[in-house]
Protein backbone atom coordinates (compact mmCIF):
# COMPACT_ATOMS: atom_id res chain seq x y z
CA UNK A 1 0.00 0.00 0.00
CA UNK A 2 1.28 3.49 -0.86
CA UNK A 3 1.87 5.63 2.24
CA UNK A 4 2.66 9.35 2.37
CA UNK A 5 5.79 10.51 4.21
CA UNK A 6 3.65 11.50 7.19
CA UNK A 7 1.97 8.08 7.29
CA UNK A 8 5.36 6.34 7.01
CA UNK A 9 6.65 8.43 9.91
CA UNK A 10 3.64 7.44 12.02
CA UNK A 11 4.22 3.79 11.17
CA UNK A 12 7.89 4.15 12.17
CA UNK A 13 6.92 5.48 15.59
CA UNK A 14 8.03 9.08 15.08
CA UNK A 15 4.70 10.25 16.60
CA UNK A 16 4.60 7.74 19.43
CA UNK A 17 3.80 4.08 19.95
CA UNK A 18 0.00 4.46 19.87
CA UNK A 19 0.01 6.05 16.40
CA UNK A 20 2.52 3.43 15.24
CA UNK A 21 0.20 0.64 16.41
CA UNK A 22 -2.75 2.41 14.78
CA UNK A 23 -0.94 2.82 11.48
CA UNK A 24 0.22 -0.80 11.59
CA UNK A 25 -3.42 -1.89 11.99
CA UNK A 26 -4.61 0.31 9.13
CA UNK A 27 -1.91 -1.01 6.80
CA UNK A 28 -2.80 -4.63 7.65
CA UNK A 29 -6.49 -3.89 7.15
CA UNK A 30 -5.93 -1.94 3.93
CA UNK A 31 -3.77 -4.68 2.43
CA UNK A 32 -6.35 -7.33 3.38
CA UNK A 33 -9.09 -5.51 1.41
CA UNK A 34 -6.83 -4.50 -1.49
CA UNK A 35 -6.75 -0.75 -0.77
CA UNK A 36 -3.99 1.07 -2.64
CA UNK A 37 -3.76 3.90 -0.14
CA UNK A 38 -5.28 5.54 2.92
CA UNK A 39 -7.63 8.53 2.83
CA UNK A 40 -7.79 11.39 5.30
CA UNK A 41 -10.80 11.50 7.59
CA UNK A 42 -11.84 14.01 10.19
CA UNK A 43 -15.02 12.20 11.27
CA UNK A 44 -14.76 8.97 13.25
CA UNK A 45 -17.65 7.30 15.09
CA UNK A 46 -16.89 4.08 16.91
CA UNK A 47 -17.23 2.04 20.09
CA UNK A 48 -14.64 2.78 22.75
CA UNK A 49 -16.51 2.51 26.03
CA UNK A 50 -15.81 -0.26 28.55
CA UNK A 51 -19.29 -1.31 29.65
CA UNK A 52 -19.55 -5.10 29.58
CA UNK A 53 -18.48 -7.75 32.12
CA UNK A 54 -16.31 -9.39 29.44
CA UNK A 55 -13.82 -6.47 29.47
CA UNK A 56 -13.42 -6.29 33.24
CA UNK A 57 -10.22 -8.36 33.23
CA UNK A 58 -8.65 -5.87 30.78
CA UNK A 59 -9.87 -2.84 32.75
CA UNK A 60 -7.90 -4.23 35.71
CA UNK A 61 -4.76 -3.40 33.68
CA UNK A 62 -5.99 0.17 33.00
CA UNK A 63 -7.97 1.88 30.24
CA UNK A 64 -4.89 2.21 28.00
CA UNK A 65 -4.92 -1.60 27.99
CA UNK A 66 -8.58 -1.62 26.92
CA UNK A 67 -7.94 0.76 24.03
CA UNK A 68 -4.74 -1.05 23.02
CA UNK A 69 -6.35 -4.46 22.91
CA UNK A 70 -9.90 -3.68 21.73
CA UNK A 71 -9.41 -0.56 19.61
CA UNK A 72 -5.94 -1.18 18.19
CA UNK A 73 -5.65 -4.98 18.25
CA UNK A 74 -2.24 -4.48 19.89
CA UNK A 75 -0.57 -7.02 22.19
CA UNK A 76 1.51 -4.19 23.61
CA UNK A 77 -0.17 -1.74 26.02
CA UNK A 78 0.46 1.70 24.55
CA UNK A 79 -0.27 5.07 26.11
CA UNK A 80 -3.25 6.60 24.30
CA UNK A 81 -2.96 10.34 23.53
CA UNK A 82 -5.72 12.80 22.46
CA UNK A 83 -7.52 11.80 19.31
CA UNK A 84 -5.97 13.37 16.20
CA UNK A 85 -9.38 14.07 14.62
CA UNK A 86 -13.05 14.48 15.63
CA UNK A 87 -14.07 11.18 17.19
CA UNK A 88 -17.44 10.13 18.62
CA UNK A 89 -18.65 7.33 20.87
CA UNK A 90 -21.69 5.61 19.37
CA UNK A 91 -24.29 3.72 21.38
CA UNK A 92 -23.07 1.95 24.49
CA UNK A 93 -24.19 -0.84 26.83
CA UNK A 94 -25.62 1.01 29.81
CA UNK A 95 -27.94 3.95 30.42
CA UNK A 96 -26.02 6.12 32.88
CA UNK A 97 -29.26 7.05 34.70
CA UNK A 98 -31.51 3.99 34.27
CA UNK A 99 -28.90 1.31 34.90
CA UNK A 100 -30.84 -0.11 37.85
CA UNK A 101 -33.94 -0.61 35.68
CA UNK A 102 -31.71 -2.38 33.17
CA UNK A 103 -30.56 -4.73 35.94
CA UNK A 104 -26.94 -3.56 35.74
CA UNK A 105 -24.53 -4.30 38.55
CA UNK A 106 -23.21 -1.17 40.35
CA UNK A 107 -19.58 -2.08 39.67
CA UNK A 108 -20.33 -2.13 35.94
CA UNK A 109 -21.85 1.37 35.82
CA UNK A 110 -18.87 2.61 37.83
CA UNK A 111 -16.59 1.05 35.22
CA UNK A 112 -18.54 2.68 32.38
CA UNK A 113 -18.36 6.10 34.04
CA UNK A 114 -14.61 5.78 34.63
CA UNK A 115 -14.17 4.65 31.06
CA UNK A 116 -16.12 7.69 29.82
CA UNK A 117 -13.95 10.03 31.88
CA UNK A 118 -10.83 8.47 30.35
CA UNK A 119 -12.24 8.76 26.82
CA UNK A 120 -13.47 12.30 27.42
CA UNK A 121 -9.95 13.38 28.43
CA UNK A 122 -8.81 12.07 25.06
CA UNK A 123 -11.49 14.16 23.31
CA UNK A 124 -13.84 11.35 22.30
CA UNK A 125 -17.30 12.94 22.20
CA UNK A 126 -19.84 11.01 24.25
CA UNK A 127 -22.91 11.29 22.03
CA UNK A 128 -23.72 7.67 23.01
CA UNK A 129 -26.27 7.04 20.28
CA UNK A 130 -26.58 5.09 17.05
CA UNK A 131 -27.85 8.30 15.41
CA UNK A 132 -24.94 10.76 15.70
CA UNK A 133 -26.53 12.72 12.82
CA UNK A 134 -29.41 13.64 15.18
CA UNK A 135 -27.13 15.22 17.76
CA UNK A 136 -24.60 17.28 15.89
CA UNK A 137 -22.43 14.98 13.81
CA UNK A 138 -23.77 15.67 10.32
CA UNK A 139 -21.03 15.05 7.75
CA UNK A 140 -21.33 16.89 4.44
CA UNK A 141 -21.66 15.34 1.00
CA UNK A 142 -18.42 13.74 -0.12
CA UNK A 143 -16.82 13.82 3.33
CA UNK A 144 -14.74 10.71 4.12
CA UNK A 145 -15.82 9.20 7.45
CA UNK A 146 -14.99 6.14 9.51
CA UNK A 147 -18.25 5.07 11.13
CA UNK A 148 -19.47 1.89 12.76
CA UNK A 149 -23.15 0.83 13.23
CA UNK A 150 -25.03 -0.33 10.17
CA UNK A 151 -28.04 2.02 10.53
CA UNK A 152 -25.74 5.03 10.91
CA UNK A 153 -23.55 4.00 7.96
CA UNK A 154 -26.45 3.57 5.52
CA UNK A 155 -27.85 6.98 6.56
CA UNK A 156 -24.41 8.58 6.20
CA UNK A 157 -23.79 7.17 2.71
CA UNK A 158 -27.29 7.52 1.28
CA UNK A 159 -29.09 10.48 2.81
CA UNK A 160 -26.06 12.66 3.53
CA UNK A 161 -23.82 11.51 0.68
CA UNK A 162 -20.79 11.25 2.96
CA UNK A 163 -18.55 8.20 2.50
CA UNK A 164 -17.94 5.34 4.87
CA UNK A 165 -17.72 1.58 5.03
CA UNK A 166 -19.07 -0.28 8.07
CA UNK A 167 -15.96 0.01 10.20
CA UNK A 168 -15.10 -1.91 13.36
CA UNK A 169 -13.89 -1.09 16.87
CA UNK A 170 -10.28 -1.55 15.79
CA UNK A 171 -10.34 0.49 12.58
CA UNK A 172 -12.22 3.38 14.23
CA UNK A 173 -9.77 3.24 17.14
CA UNK A 174 -6.88 3.55 14.67
CA UNK A 175 -8.65 6.21 12.56
CA UNK A 176 -9.23 8.44 15.59
CA UNK A 177 -5.50 8.45 16.37
CA UNK A 178 -4.22 8.93 12.82
CA UNK A 179 -6.98 10.68 10.85
CA UNK A 180 -6.70 7.95 8.20
CA UNK A 181 -8.81 5.01 6.95
CA UNK A 182 -8.19 2.62 4.03
CA UNK A 183 -9.46 3.99 0.72
CA UNK A 184 -11.72 1.20 -0.53
CA UNK A 185 -15.39 0.20 -0.79
CA UNK A 186 -17.76 3.13 -0.36
CA UNK A 187 -14.92 5.70 -0.38
CA UNK A 188 -14.52 5.07 -4.12
CA UNK A 189 -17.05 6.94 -6.33
CA UNK A 190 -17.40 3.99 -8.74
CA UNK A 191 -18.67 1.75 -5.89
CA UNK A 192 -21.56 4.06 -5.03
CA UNK A 193 -23.83 3.71 -8.06
CA UNK A 194 -27.06 1.73 -7.85
CA UNK A 195 -27.23 -1.95 -8.78
CA UNK A 196 -30.90 -2.98 -8.38
CA UNK A 197 -34.12 -1.13 -9.21
CA UNK A 198 -37.16 -1.22 -6.94
CA UNK A 199 -40.45 -0.05 -8.46
CA UNK A 200 -43.05 1.02 -5.93
CA UNK A 201 -46.58 -0.03 -6.85
CA UNK A 202 -47.80 0.90 -3.37
CA UNK A 203 -47.65 4.55 -2.19
CA UNK A 204 -45.34 4.07 0.82
CA UNK A 205 -46.10 6.87 3.22
CA UNK A 206 -46.03 6.23 6.98
CA UNK A 207 -43.12 5.13 9.15
CA UNK A 208 -44.31 1.55 9.47
CA UNK A 209 -44.47 1.15 5.70
CA UNK A 210 -40.99 2.62 5.26
CA UNK A 211 -39.73 0.00 7.74
CA UNK A 212 -41.53 -2.77 5.84
CA UNK A 213 -40.15 -1.51 2.53
CA UNK A 214 -36.60 -1.44 3.94
CA UNK A 215 -36.95 -4.98 5.24
CA UNK A 216 -38.31 -6.20 1.89
CA UNK A 217 -35.52 -4.53 -0.08
CA UNK A 218 -32.76 -5.85 2.20
CA UNK A 219 -34.01 -9.38 1.61
CA UNK A 220 -34.15 -8.84 -2.15
CA UNK A 221 -30.83 -7.10 -2.81
CA UNK A 222 -28.75 -8.37 0.14
CA UNK A 223 -25.52 -6.30 0.17
CA UNK A 224 -26.15 -4.43 -3.07
CA UNK A 225 -27.29 -0.86 -3.74
CA UNK A 226 -31.01 -0.46 -4.41
CA UNK A 227 -32.51 2.48 -6.29
CA UNK A 228 -36.11 3.09 -5.26
CA UNK A 229 -38.28 4.53 -7.98
CA UNK A 230 -41.79 6.01 -8.01
CA UNK A 231 -41.72 7.38 -4.44
CA UNK A 232 -44.88 9.46 -4.27
CA UNK A 233 -44.65 10.76 -0.70
CA UNK A 234 -41.41 12.58 0.18
CA UNK A 235 -39.95 10.82 3.26
CA UNK A 236 -38.42 12.77 6.14
CA UNK A 237 -35.39 11.91 8.30
CA UNK A 238 -37.44 9.67 10.63
CA UNK A 239 -38.77 7.50 7.81
CA UNK A 240 -35.38 7.25 6.09
CA UNK A 241 -33.61 6.21 9.29
CA UNK A 242 -36.19 3.45 9.83
CA UNK A 243 -36.01 2.40 6.20
CA UNK A 244 -32.20 2.23 6.22
CA UNK A 245 -31.99 0.38 9.54
CA UNK A 246 -34.42 -2.26 8.24
CA UNK A 247 -32.59 -2.70 4.91
CA UNK A 248 -29.26 -3.01 6.73
CA UNK A 249 -30.74 -5.70 9.03
CA UNK A 250 -32.43 -8.03 6.58
CA UNK A 251 -29.78 -7.67 3.91
CA UNK A 252 -26.66 -5.74 4.89
CA UNK A 253 -27.44 -2.78 2.58
CA UNK A 254 -24.95 0.06 3.14
CA UNK A 255 -26.21 2.52 0.55
CA UNK A 256 -29.41 3.24 -1.38
CA UNK A 257 -30.66 5.93 -3.74
CA UNK A 258 -34.05 7.59 -4.09
CA UNK A 259 -33.99 9.85 -7.14
CA UNK A 260 -34.75 13.45 -6.24
CA UNK A 261 -34.37 12.78 -2.51
CA UNK A 262 -31.04 11.20 -1.51
CA UNK A 263 -27.74 13.01 -1.89
CA UNK A 264 -26.23 11.42 -4.98
CA UNK A 265 -29.27 10.81 -7.17
CA UNK A 266 -31.02 13.73 -8.81
CA UNK A 267 -32.45 11.28 -11.32
CA UNK A 268 -32.70 7.55 -12.00
CA UNK A 269 -29.89 7.88 -14.54
CA UNK A 270 -27.64 9.61 -12.00
CA UNK A 271 -28.39 6.93 -9.38
CA UNK A 272 -27.23 4.13 -11.68
CA UNK A 273 -24.40 6.03 -13.39
CA UNK A 274 -22.66 3.60 -15.75
CA UNK A 275 -24.49 0.57 -14.24
CA UNK A 276 -27.49 -1.17 -15.74
CA UNK A 277 -29.95 -2.55 -13.14
CA UNK A 278 -29.02 -6.18 -12.42
CA UNK A 279 -32.65 -6.90 -11.54
CA UNK A 280 -35.92 -5.00 -11.09
CA UNK A 281 -38.14 -5.83 -8.09
CA UNK A 282 -41.68 -4.57 -7.57
CA UNK A 283 -43.15 -3.65 -4.19
CA UNK A 284 -46.94 -3.69 -4.06
CA UNK A 285 -49.74 -4.64 -1.66
CA UNK A 286 -48.81 -8.36 -1.77
CA UNK A 287 -45.10 -7.78 -0.96
CA UNK A 288 -46.10 -5.31 1.75
CA UNK A 289 -48.42 -7.81 3.44
CA UNK A 290 -45.98 -10.73 3.13
CA UNK A 291 -43.14 -8.68 4.66
CA UNK A 292 -45.37 -7.43 7.47
CA UNK A 293 -46.26 -11.05 8.29
CA UNK A 294 -42.59 -12.09 8.23
CA UNK A 295 -41.87 -9.47 10.87
CA UNK A 296 -44.38 -11.04 13.28
CA UNK A 297 -42.67 -13.83 15.21
CA UNK A 298 -45.26 -13.82 18.02
CA UNK A 299 -48.45 -15.79 18.45
CA UNK A 300 -49.22 -14.87 22.06
CA UNK A 301 -51.13 -11.57 22.21
CA UNK A 302 -50.23 -10.89 25.85
CA UNK A 303 -47.32 -8.43 25.56
CA UNK A 304 -44.76 -7.97 28.39
CA UNK A 305 -42.42 -5.40 26.90
CA UNK A 306 -42.61 -2.62 24.32
CA UNK A 307 -39.45 -1.14 22.83
CA UNK A 308 -39.65 2.14 20.90
CA UNK A 309 -36.71 4.06 19.49
CA UNK A 310 -34.66 1.88 17.13
CA UNK A 311 -32.82 3.72 15.67
CA UNK A 312 -32.90 6.19 18.55
CA UNK A 313 -36.00 8.41 18.46
CA UNK A 314 -36.05 12.01 17.26
CA UNK A 315 -37.73 14.71 19.34
CA UNK A 316 -40.80 14.53 17.06
CA UNK A 317 -41.14 10.81 17.80
CA UNK A 318 -40.80 11.39 21.55
CA UNK A 319 -43.45 14.12 21.30
CA UNK A 320 -45.84 11.74 19.51
CA UNK A 321 -45.35 9.04 22.14
CA UNK A 322 -46.04 11.59 24.89
CA UNK A 323 -49.23 12.63 23.10
CA UNK A 324 -50.39 9.01 22.78
CA UNK A 325 -49.68 8.42 26.47
CA UNK A 326 -51.16 11.66 27.83
CA UNK A 327 -53.44 10.85 30.76
CA UNK A 328 -53.03 7.07 30.26
CA UNK A 329 -51.31 4.41 32.35
CA UNK A 330 -49.15 1.50 31.20
CA UNK A 331 -50.66 -1.91 31.96
CA UNK A 332 -49.36 -3.34 35.25
CA UNK A 333 -47.92 -6.47 33.54
CA UNK A 334 -46.20 -4.51 30.78
CA UNK A 335 -43.13 -2.29 30.50
CA UNK A 336 -42.49 0.40 27.89
CA UNK A 337 -38.97 1.69 27.21
CA UNK A 338 -38.55 4.65 24.87
CA UNK A 339 -35.01 5.16 23.52
CA UNK A 340 -33.61 8.50 22.42
CA UNK A 341 -30.19 10.23 22.44
CA UNK A 342 -29.39 11.93 25.75
CA UNK A 343 -29.26 15.36 24.07
CA UNK A 344 -32.81 14.85 22.76
CA UNK A 345 -33.96 13.60 26.15
CA UNK A 346 -32.95 16.97 27.58
CA UNK A 347 -35.15 18.74 25.04
CA UNK A 348 -37.98 16.31 25.86
CA UNK A 349 -37.60 17.21 29.52
CA UNK A 350 -37.82 20.96 28.80
CA UNK A 351 -40.91 20.38 26.68
CA UNK A 352 -42.65 18.32 29.36
CA UNK A 353 -42.77 15.19 27.15
CA UNK A 354 -40.55 13.30 29.57
CA UNK A 355 -42.88 14.00 32.48
CA UNK A 356 -45.94 12.89 30.48
CA UNK A 357 -44.26 9.64 29.45
CA UNK A 358 -42.98 8.91 32.94
CA UNK A 359 -46.35 9.72 34.53
CA UNK A 360 -47.83 6.99 32.33
CA UNK A 361 -45.32 4.56 33.86
CA UNK A 362 -42.93 4.27 30.89
CA UNK A 363 -39.16 4.82 30.97
CA UNK A 364 -37.18 7.06 28.63
CA UNK A 365 -33.73 5.56 28.12
CA UNK A 366 -30.61 6.99 26.56
CA UNK A 367 -27.12 5.76 25.70
CA UNK A 368 -28.19 2.21 24.87
CA UNK A 369 -30.84 -0.16 23.47
CA UNK A 370 -31.86 -3.75 24.30
CA UNK A 371 -30.16 -5.25 21.23
CA UNK A 372 -26.81 -3.68 22.18
CA UNK A 373 -27.08 -4.09 25.95
CA UNK A 374 -28.72 -7.53 25.70
CA UNK A 375 -30.83 -6.44 28.65
CA UNK A 376 -34.62 -6.59 28.75
CA UNK A 377 -36.91 -6.51 31.77
CA UNK A 378 -36.76 -9.80 33.69
CA UNK A 379 -39.02 -12.62 32.52
CA UNK A 380 -40.04 -11.04 29.18
CA UNK A 381 -41.65 -13.52 26.80
CA UNK A 382 -43.41 -11.32 24.25
CA UNK A 383 -42.23 -7.95 22.94
CA UNK A 384 -43.72 -5.36 20.59
CA UNK A 385 -41.81 -2.74 18.65
CA UNK A 386 -42.26 -0.18 15.87
CA UNK A 387 -38.81 -1.03 14.48
CA UNK A 388 -38.30 -3.66 11.78
CA UNK A 389 -34.65 -3.85 12.88
CA UNK A 390 -35.53 -4.58 16.49
CA UNK A 391 -38.25 -7.06 15.38
CA UNK A 392 -35.54 -8.81 13.34
CA UNK A 393 -32.89 -9.02 16.08
CA UNK A 394 -34.57 -9.18 19.50
CA UNK A 395 -36.39 -12.53 19.10
CA UNK A 396 -33.06 -14.16 18.17
CA UNK A 397 -30.93 -12.32 20.73
CA UNK A 398 -33.30 -12.58 23.69
CA UNK A 399 -35.31 -15.69 22.82
CA UNK A 400 -38.63 -13.81 22.87
CA UNK A 401 -41.64 -13.63 20.57
CA UNK A 402 -42.01 -10.32 18.72
CA UNK A 403 -44.83 -8.18 17.30
CA UNK A 404 -44.06 -5.41 14.81
CA UNK A 405 -46.40 -2.52 14.10
CA UNK A 406 -47.03 1.20 14.14
CA UNK A 407 -46.08 3.39 17.09
CA UNK A 408 -49.82 3.79 17.81
CA UNK A 409 -50.30 0.00 17.91
CA UNK A 410 -47.26 -0.35 20.20
CA UNK A 411 -48.40 2.33 22.65
CA UNK A 412 -51.89 0.78 22.66
CA UNK A 413 -50.32 -2.59 23.52
CA UNK A 414 -48.40 -0.96 26.38
CA UNK A 415 -51.64 0.47 27.78
CA UNK A 416 -53.80 -2.64 27.36
CA UNK A 417 -51.10 -5.32 27.78
CA UNK A 418 -52.40 -6.97 24.65
CA UNK A 419 -51.39 -6.85 20.94
CA UNK A 420 -54.22 -5.72 18.70
CA UNK A 421 -52.09 -4.21 15.96
CA UNK A 422 -52.65 -4.78 12.29
CA UNK A 423 -52.35 -3.36 8.84
CA UNK A 424 -54.92 -1.41 6.85
FE1 LIG B 1 -29.68 1.72 17.33
FE2 LIG B 1 -29.90 -0.41 18.85
FE3 LIG B 1 -31.51 -0.07 16.86
S1 LIG B 1 -28.03 0.43 18.03
S2 LIG B 1 -30.36 1.06 15.33
S3 LIG B 1 -31.39 1.24 18.69
S4 LIG B 1 -30.57 -2.01 17.47
Amino acid sequence: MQLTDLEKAMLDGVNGRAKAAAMDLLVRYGEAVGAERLVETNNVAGAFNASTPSVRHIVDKGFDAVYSELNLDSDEIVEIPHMAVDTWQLITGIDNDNWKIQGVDESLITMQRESEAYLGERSINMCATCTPYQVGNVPVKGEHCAWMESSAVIYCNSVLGARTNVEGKESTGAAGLTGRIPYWGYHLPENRFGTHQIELDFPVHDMMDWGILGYFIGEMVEENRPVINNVLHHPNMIKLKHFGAAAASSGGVEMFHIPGITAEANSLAEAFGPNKPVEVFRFGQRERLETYQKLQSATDRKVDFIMLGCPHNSIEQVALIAELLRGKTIHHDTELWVHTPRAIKQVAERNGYLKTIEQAGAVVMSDTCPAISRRLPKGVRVIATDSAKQAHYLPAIANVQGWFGSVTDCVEAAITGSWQGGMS
Side-chain angles (χ1 to χ4, degrees):
M1 205 160 64
Q2 292 283 325
L3 297 183
T4 64
D5 289 346
L6 182 62
E7 290 159 1
K8 277 186 203 148
M10 281 196 249
L11 185 62
D12 291 341
V14 173
N15 303 92
R17 284 155 63 200
K19 286 183 200 281
M23 195 50 78
D24 175 62
L25 183 140
L26 292 173
V27 169
R28 282 188 281 137
Y29 162 30
E31 286 178 346
V33 296
E36 288 177 3
R37 65 178 176 90
L38 301 173
V39 65
E40 286 187 37
T41 177
N42 188 35
N43 192 325
V44 179
F48 308 92
N49 225 352
S51 62
T52 58
S54 61
V55 302
R56 221 191 283 264
H57 68 287
I58 315 176
V59 173
D60 289 343
K61 292 184 258 174
F63 289 111
D64 279 345
V66 177
Y67 200 110
S68 300
E69 186 170 328
L70 301 184
N71 295 112
L72 291 177
D73 188 33
S74 165
D75 294 335
E76 183 194 359
I77 299 175
V78 292
E79 191 179 332
I80 305 300
H82 266 230
M83 295 299 109
V85 294
D86 296 342
T87 302
W88 300 62
Q89 165 69 38
L90 293 168
I91 195 161
T92 184
I94 308 173
D95 179 327
N96 273 2
D97 294 334
N98 290 305
W99 53 275
K100 281 188 186 160
I101 294 171
Q102 283 186 284
V104 169
D105 183 76
E106 186 154 9
S107 66
L108 214 54
I109 183 64
T110 305
M111 185 173 87
Q112 168 157 302
R113 287 186 177 136
E114 287 171 0
S115 166
E116 286 188 2
Y118 164 90
L119 297 168
E121 281 168 12
R122 283 150 188 81
S123 66
I124 294 179
N125 301 316
M126 284 293 143
C127 69
T129 174
C130 52
T131 58
Y133 51 86
Q134 291 198 109
V135 293
N137 184 350
V138 190
V140 297
K141 185 175 175 181
E143 183 173 348
H144 291 283
C145 302
W147 281 22
M148 282 176 70
E149 218 303 294
S150 61
S151 74
V153 164
I154 190 170
Y155 194 92
C156 182
N157 276 325
S158 315
V159 182
L160 305 177
R163 300 180 178 197
T164 181
N165 295 304
V166 177
E167 297 296 344
K169 274 179 116 142
E170 299 83 355
S171 57
T172 49
L177 287 171
T178 59
R180 301 290 189 281
I181 199 74
Y183 185 64
W184 73 289
Y186 284 96
H187 292 286
L188 277 63
E190 61 268 31
N191 291 341
R192 299 175 64 83
F193 293 114
T195 56
H196 292 66
Q197 188 166 330
I198 316 294
E199 282 295 322
L200 297 193
D201 297 328
F202 178 83
V204 174
H205 191 18
D206 65 21
M207 196 189 90
M208 184 173 88
D209 276 329
W210 276 99
I212 292 171
L213 177 64
Y215 201 80
F216 167 79
I217 289 177
E219 284 198 317
M220 292 299 117
V221 309
E222 299 180 342
E223 291 174 353
N224 288 292
R225 295 178 295 280
V227 179
I228 301 108
N229 198 31
N230 198 27
V231 172
L232 298 182
H233 301 283
H234 206 108
N236 61 8
M237 179 272 285
I238 298 167
K239 292 170 186 174
L240 291 177
K241 83 181 152 90
H242 272 265
F243 168 80
S249 311
S250 58
V253 178
E254 293 175 38
M255 183 165 186
F256 62 88
H257 297 283
I258 306 178
I261 293 172
T262 53
E264 294 179 27
N266 286 316
S267 63
L268 200 60
E270 197 176 302
F272 280 107
N275 294 349
K276 291 253 172 314
V278 177
E279 227 173 328
V280 179
F281 295 107
R282 306 202 78 89
F283 180 82
Q285 232 349 328
R286 185 165 61 90
E287 290 76 15
R288 176 178 177 248
L289 186 62
E290 282 173 4
T291 310
Y292 175 80
Q293 284 163 347
K294 263 186 209 163
L295 284 162
Q296 319 297 339
S297 63
T299 49
D300 189 343
R301 291 197 176 267
K302 186 178 175 309
V303 176
D304 312 302
F305 174 55
I306 289 89
M307 187 280 174
L308 301 175
C310 166
H312 274 179
N313 272 336
S314 67
I315 189 65
E316 298 93 332
Q317 292 175 285
V318 177
L320 173 62
I321 294 164
E323 206 39 53
L324 292 169
L325 284 172
R326 189 175 300 283
K328 309 270 175 55
T329 307
I330 302 300
H331 191 270
H332 53 81
D333 284 338
T334 302
E335 292 199 45
L336 167 59
W337 291 0
V338 178
H339 296 78
T340 190
R342 186 161 292 275
I344 291 179
K345 186 175 174 180
Q346 283 189 353
V347 180
E349 185 172 15
R350 291 181 78 168
N351 273 63
Y353 306 147
L354 189 61
K355 194 170 168 198
T356 305
I357 294 171
E358 288 177 348
Q359 276 176 345
V363 180
V364 178
M365 290 219 175
S366 292
D367 312 330
T368 189
C369 80
I372 292 293
S373 68
R374 314 251 157 159
R375 292 175 191 276
L376 282 73
K378 265 212 171 85
V380 166
R381 290 175 50 256
V382 184
I383 66 139
T385 179
D386 64 342
S387 161
K389 177 173 179 174
Q390 205 73 201
H392 177 83
Y393 284 118
L394 264 195
I397 289 173
N399 192 25
V400 292
Q401 299 179 31
W403 293 107
F404 164 79
S406 68
V407 63
T408 309
D409 288 344
C410 288
V411 171
E412 198 56 31
I415 293 165
T416 60
S418 160
W419 182 256
Q420 299 302 328
M423 173 183 262
S424 53

